[in-house]
Structure formats: C-alpha cells, structure tokens
C-alpha cells in the first residue's frame, strides 16, 4: 500500500510538472510573438515640405511590432517619387496621409507673374476685341500688361473662371480701355471669372486687374464678376460708365477706385455676390454709389456725391435679406443717404450731409420694412429749415434695430423723430 501511495504521488507530481512546463512554453511563445521585430520605414534626416521623395531619404529598421503605429509605411517603394505635404523630421514614421502624387506648390498656384505685353502681340489700332480674346484664350496663366494708350472694344472680352485658363490684367496709369461708339452689348467690357469652374478643380483662382481707366462712353458697364474667388480689382478708375463693377457672384476685393458715372440710371457698384470687400471708392455723377442685394459684404470708406442737388435719389441701396456692413461711408447731396432693407446691417461712423435747398425731404436712413439694423456713431447734418429732415424714416414700426450715440446737426430742421424709438445711449445734438 505504501509503495502504491508513493507511486501515485510521484505520478501526480509528474503530471503537475508537465502541465506547468506546457503553460510556461505557451507564455514564452506569446511573449516572443508580441515582441517580434518587423521592418518599418523611418526618416533619415529632416525634409522640408513639398520635396519629391527618393529612397535614400529614408531607412528601413526593425522595431518591436508593438512599438509601430497603425498604418505606418513598411515599404519604401510606396514613398518613392511622391511629395510630402508636411515637413518630415529625422526618426519619425511615414504615413500615406502626408504624401501627395503631385507637387503641392504647382497644385495650388499658377504663375501669374509671367508678364505678357499686349502691344507686342497684337495690333492695338482700332477695335481689339477679337484679337485680345484670342490672346487670352491661347495664353492662360499670364499677366497681361497694357502700356499707356487707348484700347477700343466693340464687344465684351471674357476672362475664364477656370483657374487653369484665367489671366491677370495690369494696366499702366495712362492706359484707357474704351467702349466703341458702336457698343451695344448689355454685358460688361471685361467679364471676369466668366463661365464656371470645373467640378473637382484643385487650382486656386487667384488673379487681379489693376490700374488704368475704363471709359464706358456713356454706353457700357466696365467690369463684371461672375464666379470664383480671390479676385482683386485695385487702383482702377472709371468714367462715363453705366455700372463700374457688377458683381453677379463670387468673392472679390475692390480697393482704391474712382468712379464717374454716366449720369441718369448709372450705378457705381452693383453687388449680388457675398463676402466681398469694397474699400476707398469715390463716386460721382451716378444715381447710386451702391446697390446691393447680396449678403455679408463690407463697404468701407465709400464716398458718394451728386452734383444735381434737386435729385430724389439714394446713395446706398440695400435690399439684402441678411444684411451688410458699412464703415465710414459718406453720402453727400443725395435725397436719401442709406436705404436700409429688412436685413441686419451695421452702419458704423457713417456720414450724411446736404448742401442744397432743392431736396424737399432730407432722409439719412430710410427703413423700407421693419428696422432691424444697427446704426452706430453716425453723423447727419440737415441743411436748412423746413427740409423735412429725418435721421431715420421708419415706414414699418416694430423692428428690433438700434441707434447708438447718433450725432445730429441742424436738429431744429428735423421733422421726423422716429429714430428715438430705437435710441440707445445719448444723441449728440448740435447747431
């Protein structure tokens, strides 16, 4: 019996030992699997963004699999020939999200500094409409230079909205683009961003028109903008134009322009587009400086004066649904300074004045619906007694607008005090 018990104990010990040995072997195997080394690609030394990558810029190293981030590239052949969209630093792993098949610099830019002098390419005597259009169509990405001189157009010239076909236009100080006596088109002399941008285009539409003078000859709109974004119109003068700039769509920045309209029926800036800026624009001899139906535009330092002091016109007409922003804009000798739509526009530091006894009702701000805008620190100078003056002519009561710290000159000439219903703060009254 004793021998049997001893044998049973020995047998149990052997079974336990074998089991422990098996378990230990499994754990070791698992540890070996977890700590097994794999090959992965790392950056040898710092690489600036936008470089075409070659195999010698990288090294393949073996590291524990548990230390390798998910999706790190393991084969250098997947990198070779591509471009890095971000800077690479020595020792870091490489991921497909930081690589591009094409050069990012060329993908998002066109060389618009490649100048192209118009007078060296076409005969500029007489009507140049067709010749200039062909030149633009055949030379995308160029900057067209117009030296001093007169360039006559009998029909619209169109600059495509497609960034791959667009051009920039640079006019010298005494270059004049003039509508021919035979002009009959309702389109603009220069139609910028004309047509559509191809779906999926990755190019950035960045181009400009600067300098020179557009003479509408009392017949033509000078410039229209139809599409695109990042368009700059700078330092351009206009005279005898039906409309100086007609923004039908897209995003544009207009700055440092002088406009002399064609008189009755003319408008300096006609704006249906959104999110654009209009800065330092002086307007005369136009029925309106601004007629805007688009939203979220900024008009800054737009100065409008009218020599016909018997007019019943409005300098700034806003029919937008959401509103726009006006900063330090001035109306001089218009019957109404600002026509305020039902949107929530802001008017900051604006000025309305008259030097006329012929305007029988002088209105600074005319609300054509419920007044929902904000007028801030804006000054009005009424000119004479019995002028029917109104800081705000409110045609529909019950709006949520505000008038903050107005400045009113000639207050004794003011017949309409509707503004007090929206007054916040104290009005500065003088003269």
């Amino acid at each position: 019996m004793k021998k049997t018990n001893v044998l049973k104990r020995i047998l149990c010990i052997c079974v336990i030992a074998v089991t422990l040995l098996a378990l230990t072997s499994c754990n070791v195997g698992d540890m070996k699997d977890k700590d097994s080394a794999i090959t992965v690609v790392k950056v040898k030394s710092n690489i600036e963004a936008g470089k075409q990558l070659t195999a010698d810029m990288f090294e393949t190293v073996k590291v524990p699999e548990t230390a390798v981030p998910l999706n790190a590239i393991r084969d250098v052949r997947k990198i070779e020939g591509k471009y890095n969209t971000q800077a690479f630093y020595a020792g870091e792993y490489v991921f497909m999200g930081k690589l591009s098949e094409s050069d990012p610099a060329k993908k998002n830019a066109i060389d618009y500094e490649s100048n192209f002098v118009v007078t060296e390419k076409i005969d500029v005597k007489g009507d140049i409409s067709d010749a200039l259009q062909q030149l633009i169509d055949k030379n995308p990405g160029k900057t067209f230079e117009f030296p001093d001189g007169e360039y006559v157009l009998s029909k619209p010239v169109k600059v495509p909205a497609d960034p791959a076909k667009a051009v920039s236009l640079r006019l010298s100080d005494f270059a004049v683009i003039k509508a021919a006596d035979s002009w009959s088109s309702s389109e603009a002399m220069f139609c910028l961003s004309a047509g559509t941008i191809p779906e999926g285009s990755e190019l950035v539409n960045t181009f400009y028109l600067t300098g020179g003078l557009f003479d509408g000859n009392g017949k033509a709109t000078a410039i229209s903008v139809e599409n695109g974004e990042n368009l700059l119109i700078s330092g351009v003068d206009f005279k005898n134009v039906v409309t100086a700039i007609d923004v039908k769509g897209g995003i544009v920045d207009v700055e440092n322009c002088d406009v002399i309209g064609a008189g009755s029926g003319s408008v300096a800036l006609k704006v249906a587009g959104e999110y654009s800026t209009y800065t330092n624009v002086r307007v005369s001899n136009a029925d309106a400086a601004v007629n805007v139906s688009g939203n979220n535009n900024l008009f800054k330092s737009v100065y409008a004066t009218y020599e016909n002091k018997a007019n019943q016109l409005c300098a700034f007409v806003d029919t937008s649904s959401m509103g726009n922003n006006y900063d330090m804009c001035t109306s001089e000798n218009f019957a109404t300074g600002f026509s305020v739509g039902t949107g929530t526009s802001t008017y900051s530091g604006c000025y309305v004045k008259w030097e006329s006894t012929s305007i029988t009702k002088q209105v600074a701000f005319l609300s054509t619906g419920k007044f929902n805008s904000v007028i801030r620190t804006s000054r009005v100078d009424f000119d004479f007694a019995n002028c029917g003056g109104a800081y705000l002519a409110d045609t529909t009561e019950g709006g949520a607008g505000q008038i903050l710290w107005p400045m009113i000159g000639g207050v004794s000439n003011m017949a309409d005090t509707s503004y007090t219903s929206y007054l916040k703060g104290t009005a500065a009254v003088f003269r």
Side-chain angles (χ1 to χ4, degrees), residues 89-128:
Y89 298 96
E92 73 170 297
Y93 298 105
V94 184
F95 303 90
M96 291 301 296
K98 294 184 177 182
L99 302 177
S100 171
E101 294 289 344
S102 58
D103 186 349
K106 292 182 179 179
K107 180 179 179 181
N108 292 310
I110 295 176
D111 180 13
Y112 287 112
E113 293 304 318
S114 181
N115 293 355
F116 204 90
V117 181
V118 171
T119 52
E120 295 178 359
K121 301 297 180 181
I122 62 174
D123 183 358
V124 296
K125 294 178 181 179
D127 178 15
I128 67 165

Side-chain angles (χ1 to χ4, degrees), residues 112 159-161 163 166-170 190-194 197 204-210 214 222-236 238 244-255 257 274-279:
Y112 287 112
V159 177
V167 301
S168 289
L169 306 164
R170 183 184 296 156
F190 273 13
C191 302
L192 306 182
S193 281
I197 298 175
V204 175
N205 193 343
T206 305
F207 59 99
Y208 58 84
L209 188 159
T210 62
F214 280 76
I223 297 170
S224 67
V225 179
E226 298 181 10
N227 211 328
E229 57 187 40
N230 300 324
L231 169 63
L232 171 67
I233 300 174
S234 177
V236 182
F238 305 86
I245 303 174
D246 182 3
V247 181
K248 300 176 181 180
I251 300 174
V252 60
D253 294 314
V254 176
E255 63 182 22
C257 296
E274 301 183 340
Y275 299 103
S276 297
T277 63
Y278 304 85
T279 307

Side-chain angles (χ1 to χ4, degrees), residues 153-175:
L153 302 178
S154 65
K155 63 179 71 172
V157 171
K158 300 188 176 184
V159 177
D162 184 350
K165 299 178 181 179
V167 301
S168 289
L169 306 164
R170 183 184 296 156
L171 283 64
S172 67
D173 291 342
F174 297 99

Side-chain angles (χ1 to χ4, degrees), residues 254-391:
V254 176
E255 63 182 22
N256 305 325
C257 296
D258 286 345
V259 180
I260 301 174
S264 180
S266 60
V267 178
L269 303 173
K270 190 180 292 184
V271 181
E274 301 183 340
Y275 299 103
S276 297
T277 63
Y278 304 85
T279 307
N280 295 330
V281 180
R282 295 182 63 87
V283 180
S284 62
N285 199 38
D287 281 3
V290 172
N291 192 320
V292 55
S293 57
N295 301 298
N296 301 310
N297 297 286
L298 170 63
F299 301 92
K300 183 174 182 178
S301 298
V302 179
Y303 183 96
T305 184
Y306 205 82
E307 295 179 2
N308 179 359
K309 297 179 181 179
N311 72 85
Q312 300 300 315
L313 304 171
C314 179
F316 297 83
V317 180
D318 193 321
T319 59
S320 64
S321 59
M322 295 175 61
N324 294 281
N325 301 297
Y326 299 83
D327 188 5
M328 296 186 294
C329 293
T330 299
S331 165
E332 180 179 359
N333 292 326
F334 284 81
T336 301
F338 297 84
S339 179
V340 182
T342 57
T344 308
S345 293
T346 60
Y347 300 83
S348 301
C350 294
Y351 184 29
V352 183
K353 63 179 180 177
W354 296 269
E355 295 176 356
S356 170
T357 58
S358 301
I359 298 175
T360 57
K361 185 173 179 60
Q362 298 177 354
V363 177
F365 297 90
L366 172 64
S367 178
T368 56
K370 288 187 177 181
F371 175 65
N372 294 313
S373 294
V374 176
I375 302 172
R376 183 184 297 112
T377 59
S378 292
R379 175 172 174 168
V380 175
D381 282 338
F382 296 107
D383 186 58
F384 68 102
N386 302 317
C387 68
Y391 190 97

